[in-house]
Amino acid sequence: AGCYIITPDRGGSGELIKDESYGKILSAVTPQSIKEALSYALLNVRERVAAAEKAQQRVKEEFTWKNTAKKVHSLAGRGIDK
């Protein structure tokens, strides 16, 4: 079933959380922004469950070793200087 994701806007969070239908990316990580994101998730059960399922499905489809190998192979085929 997955879990609702609340993450800072760092690293690769945008690769998984494409928009708010997948979870919440915090542009500013403050006690207030964390409180608001948690409150939203707790009060909006349907959206929380749907986002968790959608993010989990994205992980299963996009973030596999097979897809990673294809991306690396594609990048290697372009050469380092390009």
Side-chain angles (χ1 to χ4, degrees), residues 7-10 25-34:
T7 183
D9 189 13
R10 307 278 187 286
I25 295 178
L26 302 175
S27 56
V29 181
T30 64
Q32 184 63 31
S33 68
I34 294 168

Side-chain angles (χ1 to χ4, degrees), residues 4 17-25 40 47 51 54:
Y4 186 77
I17 311 299
K18 296 176 72 167
D19 58 45
E20 290 201 356
S21 70
Y22 290 86
K24 178 69 175 169
I25 295 178
Y40 174 85
E47 290 86 351
K54 193 171 180 179

Side-chain angles (χ1 to χ4, degrees), residues 5-71:
I5 299 170
I6 299 171
T7 183
D9 189 13
R10 307 278 187 286
S13 57
E15 290 183 51
L16 175 59
I17 311 299
K18 296 176 72 167
D19 58 45
E20 290 201 356
S21 70
Y22 290 86
K24 178 69 175 169
I25 295 178
L26 302 175
S27 56
V29 181
T30 64
Q32 184 63 31
S33 68
I34 294 168
K35 176 186 171 192
E36 289 171 4
L38 288 170
S39 293
Y40 174 85
L42 291 171
L43 294 172
N44 296 281
V45 177
R46 274 185 253 150
E47 290 86 351
R48 181 183 74 225
V49 170
E53 291 173 352
K54 193 171 180 179
Q56 183 181 40
Q57 189 63 35
R58 181 160 168 73
V59 167
K60 288 179 178 179
E61 291 173 359
E62 297 293 324
F63 299 97
T64 65
W65 282 113
K66 184 176 182 178
N67 285 343
T68 301
K70 284 181 183 179
K71 290 175 187 175

